[in-house]
Amino acid sequence: MKSLAELQAIREKMQNKVVLREGSGNLRVVVGMATCGIAAGARPVLNTFVEEVANSGLADKVTVTQTGCIGICQFEPVVEVYEAGKEKVTYVKMTAEKAKEVVEKHLKGGQVIEEYAIKNI
Amino acid sequence: MKELSLNILDIAKNSVKAGATEITVALTETGDALDIEIADNGCGMKPDFLAAVTDPFTTTRTTRSVGLGIPFFKMESEMTGGTFRIESTHEEDDPVSHGTVIGATFMKGHIDFIPLGDVISTVTVLIQGDDQIRWVFRHRVGEKEVFLDTDELKAVLGDVPLSEPEVVAWIGDYLKEQYEDAGLPVPASGV
């Protein structure tokens, strides 16, 4: 059974890391979580980003956040990737599988997956 | 929506948008009925706005920020023979006690009943999205209960945010084990 003591252990482990991390992240992944996004399947997409970013050891570099309707409901689930000094990348019609690929190729490897992205949004 | 847990996610996001500092998601199963209630202490709605939010066709542009979420939820309960309810007090009408309570009852045996789905995932996504809010989650099935209050977790975590991926993962496992220990089926996604 999970206990609060286990959470205490996570706290002790994370405390130093979290202080270090503040302000150091330069990549931001934003998942649209309004009615349109949720109905189209944004929940597993968001979950995959949160899990994969943690599993790939990218937590120091990447923050995953949620937002409302981005305005292109027909392309949901929509995911935006912001990187300091670079143009925003908008991924559309995302799935959990595509999200894994984006973590691996784009967030980790620095390679935008053009096939899943749309221009000028 | 493919799962009622997605409606819960959607409706609770309205509470977040309403500036709530405390949001409670309560599921109560009694016999064939499943009751879902989302209660917040956000800014609330004025009576005329409240009257319009359940009808997608009378929703004007100014009320469009609420969107189709509430009409969907209402329709999905009513098509199982269940009922929908909404109460709200705007902060200007009562500066002390304001907020919104949305609830719906679903008849599980009805052919049009949409399964609850992965409600654990809904809770972790909500906490990950807004970790400054006090989230309370309660799922009662008869005498059995699964319960989570993020204030209890915050007391242990101190300045480590609830939205830390490792903490979010722990919350998911914590809920999963509560379902197992209570002898309840672990919520999972059918899609």
Side-chain angles (χ1 to χ4, degrees), chain A residues 27-72:
Chain A
L27 267 164
R28 201 156 57 89
V29 175
V30 181
V31 182
M33 295 290 286
T35 305
C36 46
I38 293 169
R43 191 182 64 185
V45 170
L46 187 270
N47 274 330
T48 304
F49 273 111
V50 172
E51 284 162 22
E52 292 299 312
V53 163
N55 293 343
S56 319
L58 292 169
D60 294 341
K61 204 176 116 185
V62 182
T63 47
V64 181
T65 59
Q66 303 174 26
T67 188
C69 181
I70 294 167
I72 44 169

mmCIF file of all heavy atoms in Angstrom, chain A residues 27-72:
data_model
loop_
_atom_site.group_PDB
_atom_site.id
_atom_site.type_symbol
_atom_site.label_atom_id
_atom_site.label_comp_id
_atom_site.label_asym_id
_atom_site.label_seq_id
_atom_site.Cartn_x
_atom_site.Cartn_y
_atom_site.Cartn_z
ATOM 1 N N LEU A 27 12.352 24.646 -22.678
ATOM 2 C CA LEU A 27 11.353 24.082 -23.585
ATOM 3 C C LEU A 27 10.025 23.970 -22.851
ATOM 4 O O LEU A 27 9.965 23.503 -21.722
ATOM 5 C CB LEU A 27 11.784 22.675 -24.014
ATOM 6 C CG LEU A 27 12.592 22.535 -25.306
ATOM 7 C CD1 LEU A 27 13.240 21.169 -25.341
ATOM 8 C CD2 LEU A 27 11.730 22.731 -26.530
ATOM 9 N N ARG A 28 8.969 24.414 -23.532
ATOM 10 C CA ARG A 28 7.650 24.350 -22.897
ATOM 11 C C ARG A 28 6.678 23.648 -23.847
ATOM 12 O O ARG A 28 6.544 24.037 -25.004
ATOM 13 C CB ARG A 28 7.153 25.763 -22.581
ATOM 14 C CG ARG A 28 6.096 25.839 -21.514
ATOM 15 C CD ARG A 28 6.096 27.212 -20.861
ATOM 16 N NE ARG A 28 5.889 28.273 -21.860
ATOM 17 C CZ ARG A 28 4.676 28.716 -22.208
ATOM 18 N NH1 ARG A 28 3.587 28.220 -21.660
ATOM 19 N NH2 ARG A 28 4.557 29.676 -23.105
ATOM 20 N N VAL A 29 6.050 22.606 -23.347
ATOM 21 C CA VAL A 29 5.059 21.866 -24.125
ATOM 22 C C VAL A 29 3.683 22.242 -23.592
ATOM 23 O O VAL A 29 3.427 22.115 -22.394
ATOM 24 C CB VAL A 29 5.275 20.335 -23.987
ATOM 25 C CG1 VAL A 29 4.173 19.564 -24.704
ATOM 26 C CG2 VAL A 29 6.643 19.942 -24.517
ATOM 27 N N VAL A 30 2.812 22.742 -24.460
ATOM 28 C CA VAL A 30 1.488 23.188 -24.030
ATOM 29 C C VAL A 30 0.410 22.358 -24.729
ATOM 30 O O VAL A 30 0.366 22.304 -25.962
ATOM 31 C CB VAL A 30 1.282 24.690 -24.337
ATOM 32 C CG1 VAL A 30 -0.085 25.148 -23.862
ATOM 33 C CG2 VAL A 30 2.374 25.531 -23.698
ATOM 34 N N VAL A 31 -0.424 21.696 -23.945
ATOM 35 C CA VAL A 31 -1.468 20.835 -24.501
ATOM 36 C C VAL A 31 -2.825 21.515 -24.326
ATOM 37 O O VAL A 31 -3.176 21.943 -23.225
ATOM 38 C CB VAL A 31 -1.471 19.452 -23.806
ATOM 39 C CG1 VAL A 31 -2.518 18.530 -24.425
ATOM 40 C CG2 VAL A 31 -0.089 18.810 -23.870
ATOM 41 N N GLY A 32 -3.588 21.631 -25.400
ATOM 42 C CA GLY A 32 -4.924 22.237 -25.346
ATOM 43 C C GLY A 32 -5.904 21.306 -24.658
ATOM 44 O O GLY A 32 -6.113 20.192 -25.103
ATOM 45 N N MET A 33 -6.478 21.772 -23.542
ATOM 46 C CA MET A 33 -7.365 20.911 -22.761
ATOM 47 C C MET A 33 -8.747 21.530 -22.565
ATOM 48 O O MET A 33 -9.307 21.516 -21.467
ATOM 49 C CB MET A 33 -6.733 20.608 -21.393
ATOM 50 C CG MET A 33 -5.452 19.799 -21.452
ATOM 51 S SD MET A 33 -5.680 18.079 -21.946
ATOM 52 C CE MET A 33 -6.403 17.438 -20.449
ATOM 53 N N ALA A 34 -9.317 22.095 -23.624
ATOM 54 C CA ALA A 34 -10.699 22.574 -23.551
ATOM 55 C C ALA A 34 -11.624 21.431 -23.997
ATOM 56 O O ALA A 34 -11.149 20.334 -24.282
ATOM 57 C CB ALA A 34 -10.889 23.794 -24.444
ATOM 58 N N THR A 35 -12.932 21.688 -24.068
ATOM 59 C CA THR A 35 -13.891 20.645 -24.458
ATOM 60 C C THR A 35 -13.470 19.982 -25.773
ATOM 61 O O THR A 35 -13.483 18.744 -25.890
ATOM 62 C CB THR A 35 -15.309 21.242 -24.621
ATOM 63 O OG1 THR A 35 -15.664 21.905 -23.406
ATOM 64 C CG2 THR A 35 -16.336 20.166 -24.924
ATOM 65 N N CYS A 36 -13.050 20.812 -26.743
ATOM 66 C CA CYS A 36 -12.668 20.279 -28.058
ATOM 67 C C CYS A 36 -11.472 19.335 -27.948
ATOM 68 O O CYS A 36 -11.477 18.233 -28.506
ATOM 69 C CB CYS A 36 -12.356 21.433 -29.010
ATOM 70 S SG CYS A 36 -11.297 22.730 -28.312
ATOM 71 N N GLY A 37 -10.451 19.752 -27.211
ATOM 72 C CA GLY A 37 -9.254 18.928 -27.050
ATOM 73 C C GLY A 37 -9.544 17.645 -26.293
ATOM 74 O O GLY A 37 -9.146 16.548 -26.715
ATOM 75 N N ILE A 38 -10.274 17.762 -25.190
ATOM 76 C CA ILE A 38 -10.581 16.598 -24.354
ATOM 77 C C ILE A 38 -11.381 15.568 -25.151
ATOM 78 O O ILE A 38 -11.072 14.377 -25.125
ATOM 79 C CB ILE A 38 -11.364 17.035 -23.083
ATOM 80 C CG1 ILE A 38 -10.466 17.879 -22.170
ATOM 81 C CG2 ILE A 38 -11.883 15.820 -22.319
ATOM 82 C CD1 ILE A 38 -11.212 18.585 -21.038
ATOM 83 N N ALA A 39 -12.396 16.051 -25.901
ATOM 84 C CA ALA A 39 -13.237 15.135 -26.671
ATOM 85 C C ALA A 39 -12.435 14.434 -27.764
ATOM 86 O O ALA A 39 -12.716 13.293 -28.125
ATOM 87 C CB ALA A 39 -14.415 15.887 -27.286
ATOM 88 N N ALA A 40 -11.406 15.124 -28.277
ATOM 89 C CA ALA A 40 -10.616 14.560 -29.372
ATOM 90 C C ALA A 40 -9.495 13.648 -28.885
ATOM 91 O O ALA A 40 -8.829 12.999 -29.691
ATOM 92 C CB ALA A 40 -10.036 15.694 -30.220
ATOM 93 N N GLY A 41 -9.265 13.608 -27.566
ATOM 94 C CA GLY A 41 -8.255 12.682 -27.040
ATOM 95 C C GLY A 41 -7.021 13.324 -26.440
ATOM 96 O O GLY A 41 -5.936 12.744 -26.437
ATOM 97 N N ALA A 42 -7.171 14.550 -25.905
ATOM 98 C CA ALA A 42 -6.004 15.245 -25.343
ATOM 99 C C ALA A 42 -5.500 14.649 -24.027
ATOM 100 O O ALA A 42 -4.328 14.777 -23.708
ATOM 101 C CB ALA A 42 -6.332 16.724 -25.143
ATOM 102 N N ARG A 43 -6.397 13.969 -23.294
ATOM 103 C CA ARG A 43 -5.967 13.460 -21.982
ATOM 104 C C ARG A 43 -4.828 12.453 -22.076
ATOM 105 O O ARG A 43 -3.798 12.631 -21.416
ATOM 106 C CB ARG A 43 -7.157 12.887 -21.204
ATOM 107 C CG ARG A 43 -6.847 12.594 -19.744
ATOM 108 C CD ARG A 43 -8.014 11.978 -18.997
ATOM 109 N NE ARG A 43 -8.361 10.661 -19.539
ATOM 110 C CZ ARG A 43 -9.407 9.949 -19.136
ATOM 111 N NH1 ARG A 43 -10.213 10.429 -18.203
ATOM 112 N NH2 ARG A 43 -9.654 8.780 -19.676
ATOM 113 N N PRO A 44 -4.943 11.402 -22.922
ATOM 114 C CA PRO A 44 -3.799 10.492 -23.045
ATOM 115 C C PRO A 44 -2.555 11.159 -23.635
ATOM 116 O O PRO A 44 -1.435 10.760 -23.312
ATOM 117 C CB PRO A 44 -4.311 9.369 -23.958
ATOM 118 C CG PRO A 44 -5.599 9.824 -24.516
ATOM 119 C CD PRO A 44 -6.138 10.882 -23.606
ATOM 120 N N VAL A 45 -2.747 12.175 -24.468
ATOM 121 C CA VAL A 45 -1.603 12.895 -25.047
ATOM 122 C C VAL A 45 -0.839 13.623 -23.937
ATOM 123 O O VAL A 45 0.385 13.521 -23.819
ATOM 124 C CB VAL A 45 -2.070 13.886 -26.145
ATOM 125 C CG1 VAL A 45 -0.936 14.800 -26.581
ATOM 126 C CG2 VAL A 45 -2.635 13.133 -27.342
ATOM 127 N N LEU A 46 -1.598 14.336 -23.089
ATOM 128 C CA LEU A 46 -0.988 15.062 -21.969
ATOM 129 C C LEU A 46 -0.257 14.081 -21.060
ATOM 130 O O LEU A 46 0.897 14.307 -20.687
ATOM 131 C CB LEU A 46 -2.105 15.809 -21.244
ATOM 132 C CG LEU A 46 -1.849 16.810 -20.102
ATOM 133 C CD1 LEU A 46 -1.846 16.163 -18.748
ATOM 134 C CD2 LEU A 46 -0.615 17.670 -20.290
ATOM 135 N N ASN A 47 -0.952 13.004 -20.698
ATOM 136 C CA ASN A 47 -0.347 12.003 -19.802
ATOM 137 C C ASN A 47 0.938 11.434 -20.367
ATOM 138 O O ASN A 47 1.904 11.229 -19.637
ATOM 139 C CB ASN A 47 -1.334 10.860 -19.547
ATOM 140 C CG ASN A 47 -2.267 11.182 -18.400
ATOM 141 O OD1 ASN A 47 -1.896 11.908 -17.481
ATOM 142 N ND2 ASN A 47 -3.467 10.645 -18.452
ATOM 143 N N THR A 48 0.942 11.177 -21.666
ATOM 144 C CA THR A 48 2.135 10.620 -22.297
ATOM 145 C C THR A 48 3.296 11.605 -22.207
ATOM 146 O O THR A 48 4.419 11.213 -21.890
ATOM 147 C CB THR A 48 1.846 10.260 -23.775
ATOM 148 O OG1 THR A 48 0.731 9.366 -23.799
ATOM 149 C CG2 THR A 48 3.039 9.600 -24.428
ATOM 150 N N PHE A 49 3.031 12.888 -22.463
ATOM 151 C CA PHE A 49 4.092 13.890 -22.351
ATOM 152 C C PHE A 49 4.649 13.938 -20.924
ATOM 153 O O PHE A 49 5.866 13.941 -20.725
ATOM 154 C CB PHE A 49 3.595 15.283 -22.772
ATOM 155 C CG PHE A 49 3.730 15.540 -24.249
ATOM 156 C CD1 PHE A 49 2.608 15.627 -25.058
ATOM 157 C CD2 PHE A 49 4.985 15.668 -24.828
ATOM 158 C CE1 PHE A 49 2.732 15.847 -26.421
ATOM 159 C CE2 PHE A 49 5.117 15.886 -26.201
ATOM 160 C CZ PHE A 49 3.986 15.979 -26.998
ATOM 161 N N VAL A 50 3.748 13.965 -19.928
ATOM 162 C CA VAL A 50 4.202 14.039 -18.533
ATOM 163 C C VAL A 50 5.077 12.822 -18.195
ATOM 164 O O VAL A 50 6.169 12.963 -17.649
ATOM 165 C CB VAL A 50 2.996 14.139 -17.563
ATOM 166 C CG1 VAL A 50 3.445 14.020 -16.107
ATOM 167 C CG2 VAL A 50 2.256 15.460 -17.773
ATOM 168 N N GLU A 51 4.594 11.638 -18.580
ATOM 169 C CA GLU A 51 5.339 10.411 -18.253
ATOM 170 C C GLU A 51 6.655 10.316 -19.010
ATOM 171 O O GLU A 51 7.702 10.032 -18.423
ATOM 172 C CB GLU A 51 4.491 9.174 -18.597
ATOM 173 C CG GLU A 51 3.385 8.907 -17.592
ATOM 174 C CD GLU A 51 2.311 7.977 -18.147
ATOM 175 O OE1 GLU A 51 2.595 7.224 -19.104
ATOM 176 O OE2 GLU A 51 1.179 8.020 -17.615
ATOM 177 N N GLU A 52 6.589 10.559 -20.313
ATOM 178 C CA GLU A 52 7.790 10.376 -21.139
ATOM 179 C C GLU A 52 8.877 11.409 -20.833
ATOM 180 O O GLU A 52 10.066 11.096 -20.884
ATOM 181 C CB GLU A 52 7.429 10.412 -22.629
ATOM 182 C CG GLU A 52 6.598 9.225 -23.090
ATOM 183 C CD GLU A 52 7.307 7.891 -22.907
ATOM 184 O OE1 GLU A 52 8.479 7.787 -23.312
ATOM 185 O OE2 GLU A 52 6.696 6.962 -22.349
ATOM 186 N N VAL A 53 8.447 12.639 -20.523
ATOM 187 C CA VAL A 53 9.432 13.666 -20.172
ATOM 188 C C VAL A 53 10.163 13.249 -18.894
ATOM 189 O O VAL A 53 11.388 13.360 -18.801
ATOM 190 C CB VAL A 53 8.754 15.055 -20.017
ATOM 191 C CG1 VAL A 53 9.644 16.034 -19.262
ATOM 192 C CG2 VAL A 53 8.406 15.626 -21.392
ATOM 193 N N ALA A 54 9.409 12.706 -17.952
ATOM 194 C CA ALA A 54 10.034 12.246 -16.703
ATOM 195 C C ALA A 54 10.925 11.030 -16.963
ATOM 196 O O ALA A 54 12.062 10.967 -16.500
ATOM 197 C CB ALA A 54 8.960 11.914 -15.681
ATOM 198 N N ASN A 55 10.435 10.082 -17.747
ATOM 199 C CA ASN A 55 11.187 8.848 -18.017
ATOM 200 C C ASN A 55 12.455 9.095 -18.820
ATOM 201 O O ASN A 55 13.426 8.353 -18.693
ATOM 202 C CB ASN A 55 10.319 7.838 -18.775
ATOM 203 C CG ASN A 55 9.180 7.326 -17.920
ATOM 204 O OD1 ASN A 55 9.210 7.473 -16.687
ATOM 205 N ND2 ASN A 55 8.174 6.730 -18.546
ATOM 206 N N SER A 56 12.429 10.114 -19.682
ATOM 207 C CA SER A 56 13.597 10.387 -20.523
ATOM 208 C C SER A 56 14.605 11.290 -19.829
ATOM 209 O O SER A 56 15.574 11.728 -20.442
ATOM 210 C CB SER A 56 13.173 11.053 -21.835
ATOM 211 O OG SER A 56 12.022 10.476 -22.357
ATOM 212 N N GLY A 57 14.316 11.634 -18.573
ATOM 213 C CA GLY A 57 15.237 12.494 -17.832
ATOM 214 C C GLY A 57 15.282 13.910 -18.370
ATOM 215 O O GLY A 57 16.277 14.607 -18.255
ATOM 216 N N LEU A 58 14.159 14.349 -18.965
ATOM 217 C CA LEU A 58 14.114 15.689 -19.557
ATOM 218 C C LEU A 58 13.469 16.721 -18.631
ATOM 219 O O LEU A 58 13.295 17.876 -19.008
ATOM 220 C CB LEU A 58 13.336 15.650 -20.879
ATOM 221 C CG LEU A 58 13.976 14.900 -22.054
ATOM 222 C CD1 LEU A 58 12.967 14.731 -23.178
ATOM 223 C CD2 LEU A 58 15.199 15.651 -22.559
ATOM 224 N N ALA A 59 13.118 16.283 -17.426
ATOM 225 C CA ALA A 59 12.357 17.159 -16.529
ATOM 226 C C ALA A 59 13.071 18.481 -16.226
ATOM 227 O O ALA A 59 12.429 19.485 -15.950
ATOM 228 C CB ALA A 59 12.022 16.423 -15.241
ATOM 229 N N ASP A 60 14.385 18.493 -16.307
ATOM 230 C CA ASP A 60 15.123 19.730 -16.027
ATOM 231 C C ASP A 60 14.996 20.722 -17.167
ATOM 232 O O ASP A 60 15.206 21.914 -17.005
ATOM 233 C CB ASP A 60 16.612 19.422 -15.818
ATOM 234 C CG ASP A 60 16.821 18.598 -14.563
ATOM 235 O OD1 ASP A 60 15.905 18.597 -13.717
ATOM 236 O OD2 ASP A 60 17.881 17.965 -14.441
ATOM 237 N N LYS A 61 14.699 20.212 -18.334
ATOM 238 C CA LYS A 61 14.729 21.009 -19.557
ATOM 239 C C LYS A 61 13.328 21.354 -20.064
ATOM 240 O O LYS A 61 13.113 22.377 -20.694
ATOM 241 C CB LYS A 61 15.453 20.167 -20.620
ATOM 242 C CG LYS A 61 16.102 20.944 -21.736
ATOM 243 C CD LYS A 61 16.879 19.999 -22.660
ATOM 244 C CE LYS A 61 16.269 20.013 -24.030
ATOM 245 N NZ LYS A 61 16.871 19.058 -24.968
ATOM 246 N N VAL A 62 12.383 20.475 -19.802
ATOM 247 C CA VAL A 62 11.060 20.594 -20.403
ATOM 248 C C VAL A 62 9.971 20.730 -19.334
ATOM 249 O O VAL A 62 9.954 19.964 -18.370
ATOM 250 C CB VAL A 62 10.745 19.338 -21.260
ATOM 251 C CG1 VAL A 62 9.387 19.469 -21.930
ATOM 252 C CG2 VAL A 62 11.836 19.098 -22.295
ATOM 253 N N THR A 63 9.072 21.707 -19.514
ATOM 254 C CA THR A 63 7.897 21.754 -18.649
ATOM 255 C C THR A 63 6.657 21.484 -19.495
ATOM 256 O O THR A 63 6.555 21.951 -20.627
ATOM 257 C CB THR A 63 7.731 23.122 -17.948
ATOM 258 O OG1 THR A 63 7.896 24.151 -18.917
ATOM 259 C CG2 THR A 63 8.745 23.324 -16.856
ATOM 260 N N VAL A 64 5.757 20.695 -18.954
ATOM 261 C CA VAL A 64 4.521 20.354 -19.653
ATOM 262 C C VAL A 64 3.378 21.090 -18.967
ATOM 263 O O VAL A 64 3.180 20.946 -17.763
ATOM 264 C CB VAL A 64 4.269 18.831 -19.625
ATOM 265 C CG1 VAL A 64 2.998 18.488 -20.388
ATOM 266 C CG2 VAL A 64 5.460 18.075 -20.200
ATOM 267 N N THR A 65 2.648 21.902 -19.735
ATOM 268 C CA THR A 65 1.524 22.630 -19.150
ATOM 269 C C THR A 65 0.265 22.451 -19.991
ATOM 270 O O THR A 65 0.314 21.935 -21.101
ATOM 271 C CB THR A 65 1.831 24.147 -19.008
ATOM 272 O OG1 THR A 65 2.111 24.673 -20.307
ATOM 273 C CG2 THR A 65 3.009 24.401 -18.109
ATOM 274 N N GLN A 66 -0.857 22.891 -19.430
ATOM 275 C CA GLN A 66 -2.146 22.764 -20.110
ATOM 276 C C GLN A 66 -2.698 24.152 -20.401
ATOM 277 O O GLN A 66 -2.433 25.091 -19.681
ATOM 278 C CB GLN A 66 -3.130 22.017 -19.205
ATOM 279 C CG GLN A 66 -2.635 20.650 -18.769
ATOM 280 C CD GLN A 66 -3.571 20.009 -17.746
ATOM 281 O OE1 GLN A 66 -4.757 20.303 -17.690
ATOM 282 N NE2 GLN A 66 -3.023 19.122 -16.937
ATOM 283 N N THR A 67 -3.483 24.238 -21.443
ATOM 284 C CA THR A 67 -4.164 25.500 -21.735
ATOM 285 C C THR A 67 -5.584 25.219 -22.210
ATOM 286 O O THR A 67 -5.982 24.059 -22.327
ATOM 287 C CB THR A 67 -3.366 26.330 -22.773
ATOM 288 O OG1 THR A 67 -3.971 27.617 -22.887
ATOM 289 C CG2 THR A 67 -3.346 25.679 -24.145
ATOM 290 N N GLY A 68 -6.331 26.283 -22.485
ATOM 291 C CA GLY A 68 -7.709 26.128 -22.957
ATOM 292 C C GLY A 68 -7.741 25.898 -24.461
ATOM 293 O O GLY A 68 -6.826 25.311 -25.029
ATOM 294 N N CYS A 69 -8.791 26.427 -25.084
ATOM 295 C CA CYS A 69 -8.957 26.236 -26.523
ATOM 296 C C CYS A 69 -7.972 27.109 -27.285
ATOM 297 O O CYS A 69 -7.912 28.312 -27.095
ATOM 298 C CB CYS A 69 -10.387 26.603 -26.911
ATOM 299 S SG CYS A 69 -10.713 26.383 -28.655
ATOM 300 N N ILE A 70 -7.205 26.496 -28.161
ATOM 301 C CA ILE A 70 -6.187 27.207 -28.930
ATOM 302 C C ILE A 70 -6.825 27.883 -30.155
ATOM 303 O O ILE A 70 -6.283 28.819 -30.725
ATOM 304 C CB ILE A 70 -5.026 26.237 -29.295
ATOM 305 C CG1 ILE A 70 -4.293 25.804 -28.003
ATOM 306 C CG2 ILE A 70 -4.047 26.838 -30.294
ATOM 307 C CD1 ILE A 70 -3.340 24.630 -28.150
ATOM 308 N N GLY A 71 -8.014 27.413 -30.545
ATOM 309 C CA GLY A 71 -8.756 28.071 -31.620
ATOM 310 C C GLY A 71 -8.808 27.305 -32.925
ATOM 311 O O GLY A 71 -9.378 27.764 -33.906
ATOM 312 N N ILE A 72 -8.182 26.131 -32.956
ATOM 313 C CA ILE A 72 -8.237 25.315 -34.171
ATOM 314 C C ILE A 72 -8.794 23.934 -33.804
ATOM 315 O O ILE A 72 -8.144 22.908 -33.949
ATOM 316 C CB ILE A 72 -6.840 25.208 -34.856
ATOM 317 C CG1 ILE A 72 -5.725 24.951 -33.816
ATOM 318 C CG2 ILE A 72 -6.546 26.453 -35.663
ATOM 319 C CD1 ILE A 72 -4.382 24.566 -34.426
#
